């Protein structure tokens, strides 16, 4: 299944035979609120199940960072409750830049479920095009997905540091945070030495849709990515970096590593160095 699905194709799939309809996950979330569940209750794609980033798509914050990977057994339970079955397709959407939906995409891929896509343009595109919305909350039949973690590469801190030296490690945060000019959330400011700044916001256009593969490929080439070079990504807590992995796949570079703990994990250890400024360091 391709990483992206258009609003037109999703609408057609939802209008098709019931047994062929995808499971739709509403993963709206905002760091500063309001809670995504409030937006979901006001209206959502028909049949969509609200899936909370903090409760389902991540474990409790702690030593592993602010959004560590969920326990596989917990993820399996929650995905089954949402109706996810083996072999069925899943579509995730948010109402921002696609980065939270990309976390759901990455997590399902990591769990061994390749039939997953992000709704291109998200909820904004869905409503702008006049597709139906509802306030009715579904009660899906429990699914039977088996979570098999490890289908997408995960980097630990040492591996991320090595990749910054020997390959290409992309930092998905906005430039002021990368440069260490500000740090509103995590213990220390700066970036992993050697990492290259690649703000995730550049993956979508002004219309909220993902850029064309050729545009993304050119962007990553400008950032220094060479064909066949090992590449990985991190961000503040491992969420928006998932969109870098998705963008890399669209651009023809599948299998990028994700430093799941990201800066929220790295910066907890005072023995790990932090570079500042706009250069990799």
């Amino acid at each position: 299944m391709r990483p992206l699905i258009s609003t037109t194709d999703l609408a057609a799939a939802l209008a098709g035979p019931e047994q062929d309809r995808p499971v739709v996950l509403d993963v709206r979330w905002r760091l500063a609120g309001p809670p995504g569940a409030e937006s979901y209750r006001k209206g959502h794609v028909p049949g969509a199940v609200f899936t909370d980033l903090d409760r389902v798509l991540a474990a409790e914050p702690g030593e592993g960072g602010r959004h560590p990977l969920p326990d596989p057994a917990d993820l399996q339970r929650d995905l089954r409750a949402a109706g996810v079955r083996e072999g069925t397709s899943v579509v995730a959407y948010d109402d921002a830049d696609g980065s939270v939906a990309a976390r759901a995409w990455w997590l399902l891929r990591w769990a061994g479920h390749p039939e997953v896509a992000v709704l291109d343009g998200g909820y904004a595109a869905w409503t702008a095009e006049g597709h139906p919305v509802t306030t009715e909350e579904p009660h899906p039949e429990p699914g039977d997905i088996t979570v098999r973690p490890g289908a997408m590469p995960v980097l630990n801190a040492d591996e991320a540091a090595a990749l910054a030296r020997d390959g290409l490690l992309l930092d998905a945060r906005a430039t002021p945070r990368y440069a260490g000019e500000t740090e509103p959330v995590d213990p220390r400011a700066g970036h992993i030495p050697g990492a290259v700044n690649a703000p995730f916001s550049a993956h979508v256009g002004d219309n909220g849709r993902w850029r064309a593969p050729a545009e993304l490929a050119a962007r990553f080439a400008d950032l220094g990515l060479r064909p066949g070079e090992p590449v990985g990504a991190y961000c503040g807590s491992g969420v928006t970096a998932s969109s870098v992995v998705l963008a890399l796949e669209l651009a023809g570079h599948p299998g990028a590593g994700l430093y799941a703990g990201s800066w929220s994990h790295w910066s907890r250890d005072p023995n790990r160095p932090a570079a500042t400024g706009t250069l990799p360091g």
Side-chain angles (χ1 to χ4, degrees):
M1 189 173 183
R2 292 177 59 82
L4 298 179
I5 185 171
S6 69
T7 53
T8 301
D9 287 346
L10 177 58
L14 293 176
E18 184 174 355
Q19 66 272 17
D20 297 332
R21 294 174 191 166
V23 173
V24 182
L25 304 180
D26 183 314
V27 296
R28 284 180 277 183
W29 179 86
R30 304 166 194 87
L31 181 61
E38 291 183 8
S39 300
Y40 173 81
R41 286 191 288 268
K42 293 177 180 178
H44 51 266
V45 173
V49 177
F50 181 71
T51 307
D52 187 71
L53 169 65
D54 295 311
R55 188 186 67 81
V56 178
L57 304 182
E60 291 289 329
E63 291 300 319
R66 286 187 282 113
H67 287 115
L69 298 184
D71 180 83
D74 293 340
L75 180 62
Q76 178 173 289
R77 177 201 64 215
D78 292 330
L79 291 176
R80 287 184 175 187
V84 180
R85 304 185 64 82
E86 294 284 348
T88 61
S89 59
V90 179
V91 175
Y93 71 85
D94 57 36
D95 60 357
D97 45 40
S99 60
V100 180
R103 168 66 172 226
W105 169 85
W106 185 91
L107 200 57
L108 279 153
R109 290 280 301 271
W110 170 79
H113 192 85
E115 299 89 2
V116 57
V118 168
L119 179 62
D120 195 12
Y123 192 68
W126 180 266
T127 56
E129 295 173 5
H131 295 296
V133 298
T134 184
T135 57
E136 181 179 351
E137 298 188 21
H139 301 283
E141 180 180 343
D144 63 358
I145 183 175
T146 298
V147 169
R148 304 176 181 88
M152 292 287 275
V154 178
L155 306 174
N156 61 30
D158 291 339
E159 290 166 336
L163 187 60
R165 294 192 308 268
D166 304 326
L168 181 64
L169 181 65
L170 300 173
D171 184 317
R173 296 174 299 163
T175 300
R177 288 187 70 190
Y178 169 85
E181 297 169 3
T182 182
E183 182 45 68
V185 186
D186 294 316
R188 289 186 291 149
H191 60 266
I192 296 173
V196 174
N197 193 207
F200 72 93
S201 57
H203 299 147
V204 296
D206 293 338
N207 60 359
R209 297 181 188 272
W210 289 73
R211 297 190 184 278
E215 289 183 78
L216 293 170
R219 177 172 186 263
F220 289 122
D222 288 344
L223 290 169
L225 181 58
R226 299 183 297 271
E229 182 181 27
V231 59
Y234 78 98
C235 56
S237 67
V239 175
T240 57
S242 301
S243 71
V244 180
V245 177
L246 191 155
L248 282 162
E249 183 155 321
L250 291 171
H253 301 282
L258 177 72
Y259 177 18
S262 285
W263 189 250
S264 65
H265 174 257
W266 181 280
S267 60
R268 294 175 69 90
D269 185 347
N271 294 317
R272 294 197 179 278
T276 56
T278 57
L279 298 178

